[in-house]
Amino acid sequence: MSGCGDLIRDRSSDYLKSEEIPPMTLPDGVDASVIGQIYVIPDIASTEVSAESNVLPRPRPLSETRFEETVKIQSYENSAWILINRPPEEVWPRVRNILSRNGVPTTSVDAASGIMETSWVQFKDDDKNSHRFRLRVEPAVQINSTEVKLTHTQVAVGSEEAAASWPEVSQDKEREKQMLEIVANMMASDISSGTISLLAQSIGGEAKVEMVTPQVADPFLKLKLNYDRSWASVIYSLSRGGFSVTDQDKTAGVVYVDYMEEAEQEEGDGFLWGLFGGKKEPEKNAYQVLVKSVEQGVEVRITGAGRESIQTSQSARLLKIIRNNLS
């Protein structure tokens, strides 16, 4: 068997030497639509470039929010919404089924924008007004999670046709809250959580949080939210996942944090060494998290305790932890 290694070449690293070949060129007049990419390479939202060749980055840490209640109602200032840690293409058919099972017909359904509008309905405790709701399903700030928002409007019975436009905010916050609680409770007990809508795979537009890793600059998080909502979400995240907030200044956009770094196992420290009490204790390191409002949202960066740049791979790893626990 020792001689086989000399006859059989190891091809496991050949992919590192592969080169891109130009696409096939067809003669004029030939329809090129029938020829497509055999292996389509999707766009990568974020990359972590290691300083060492052929070194894989650490696996992404699990978000602590994945172990909490699946469906809950969140509120911020005068807004409230349902948060569920399921992707939008899974939440969309569940919301539609809830309306259908409860006899609430829809007059408009747009999966691309994630909006469905109900027809006019009446409540038993209000025989003078007709009510309708607009539900919007969109990606949340957490990974693979969804926000369901609701707008309520009402008119006097008999004047439904004259009301064509939707208000910016609900006309009756109590009705909005009541409907949110009904939908949230039914979503929590819905057994059809495995249903996925192919039409709603791009529902609600782009993700609200993006990890940006420039080649010649420090990585950062880009939040497509207003500053107040972004600040509250970042502070919430920094209270989890190994971080602890020591001080904060919202006006300056800086949060002082400590992070418990797990000590790396040195080469030669075997399994038995760690099993019999040789495990290294975690170290506490101080950082600054910078939150800055920009033209298209908010940028979040992390630096050392003296606002010096830290290693790119370390910065990207800590930002991913922050990103995974945003809410």
Side-chain angles (χ1 to χ4, degrees):
M1 296 298 293
S2 61
C4 294
D6 298 332
L7 299 177
I8 303 176
R9 186 171 66 86
D10 182 10
R11 301 177 182 270
S12 61
S13 299
D14 283 4
Y15 73 96
L16 297 173
K17 303 176 183 178
S18 60
E19 298 180 357
E20 184 178 0
I21 61 175
M24 181 182 298
T25 302
L26 299 178
D28 295 337
V30 178
D31 184 13
S33 61
V34 296
I35 299 179
Q37 293 287 344
I38 299 178
Y39 299 105
V40 179
I41 302 175
D43 294 333
I44 301 176
S46 65
T47 58
E48 183 178 336
V49 181
S50 175
E52 303 177 19
S53 60
N54 302 335
V55 175
L56 296 177
R58 291 184 177 184
R60 181 192 306 176
L62 290 176
S63 169
E64 293 189 4
T65 56
R66 298 189 183 189
F67 303 102
E68 297 180 354
E69 185 179 0
T70 301
V71 182
K72 57 184 177 181
I73 295 179
Q74 286 194 325
S75 60
Y76 180 74
E77 294 182 346
N78 295 324
S79 301
W81 61 90
I82 301 171
L83 175 65
I84 176 172
N85 55 347
R86 295 290 184 271
E89 61 268 23
E90 185 176 322
V91 175
W92 175 264
R94 293 175 65 180
V95 175
R96 292 204 62 183
N97 289 337
I98 289 172
L99 296 178
S100 177
R101 289 199 307 266
N102 288 273
V104 181
T106 54
T107 58
S108 176
V109 176
D110 187 352
S113 59
I115 296 177
M116 59 184 79
E117 300 175 358
T118 72
S119 59
W120 293 102
V121 296
Q122 288 185 276
F123 292 95
K124 294 181 180 180
D125 60 349
D126 184 9
D127 57 358
K128 297 182 179 180
N129 296 303
S130 294
H131 308 260
R132 64 174 178 171
F133 300 90
R134 168 186 278 182
L135 293 91
R136 182 178 181 88
V137 179
E138 59 186 31
V141 296
Q142 296 177 10
I143 297 175
N144 290 329
S145 60
T146 304
E147 293 178 0
V148 181
K149 298 180 179 179
L150 189 146
T151 305
H152 164 267
T153 184
Q154 66 182 42
V155 295
V157 174
S159 59
E160 291 85 357
E161 294 185 0
S165 60
W166 285 89
E168 292 293 331
V169 296
S170 295
Q171 293 181 328
D172 191 333
K173 284 294 183 180
E174 288 300 320
R175 292 292 184 189
E176 175 189 331
K177 180 182 177 181
Q178 180 183 9
M179 190 65 171
L180 278 176
E181 291 177 347
I182 292 174
V183 175
N185 290 334
M186 290 187 174
M187 290 180 66
S189 60
D190 192 2
I191 61 175
S192 61
S193 59
T195 304
I196 295 177
S197 172
L198 297 179
L199 295 176
Q201 289 185 348
S202 59
I203 192 170
E206 299 178 351
K208 294 182 179 178
V209 182
E210 179 184 359
M211 179 77 173
V212 182
T213 54
Q215 293 292 334
V216 294
D218 294 333
F220 61 92
L221 293 176
K222 185 176 182 180
L223 281 65
K224 300 175 183 178
L225 303 167
N226 61 48
Y227 183 82
D228 290 338
R229 171 76 190 280
S230 298
W231 177 266
S233 185
V234 169
I235 293 297
Y236 173 85
S237 176
L238 291 174
S239 64
R240 321 171 76 80
F243 286 98
S244 60
V245 177
T246 59
D247 197 5
Q248 56 181 287
D249 186 342
K250 183 178 179 180
T251 303
V254 58
V255 188
Y256 301 90
V257 298
D258 291 333
Y259 181 74
M260 298 300 295
E261 301 275 4
E262 292 188 6
E264 297 283 351
Q265 180 173 307
E266 297 179 359
E267 187 176 356
D269 295 340
F271 169 75
L272 294 178
W273 180 85
L275 185 64
F276 293 104
K279 186 177 181 180
K280 295 181 176 65
E281 294 296 327
E283 299 178 359
K284 180 187 291 187
N285 289 330
Y287 299 95
Q288 288 190 31
V289 178
L290 309 179
V291 183
K292 180 182 179 181
S293 180
V294 294
E295 183 177 355
Q296 297 180 346
V298 173
E299 294 181 357
V300 178
R301 290 176 166 83
I302 188 164
T303 68
R307 200 167 289 192
E308 71 278 5
S309 295
I310 60 178
Q311 188 176 6
T312 301
S313 58
Q314 175 73 347
S315 175
R317 185 173 70 87
L318 295 175
L319 286 173
K320 287 180 181 178
I321 297 175
I322 298 174
R323 193 260 179 273
N324 290 346
N325 290 309
L326 290 172
S327 179

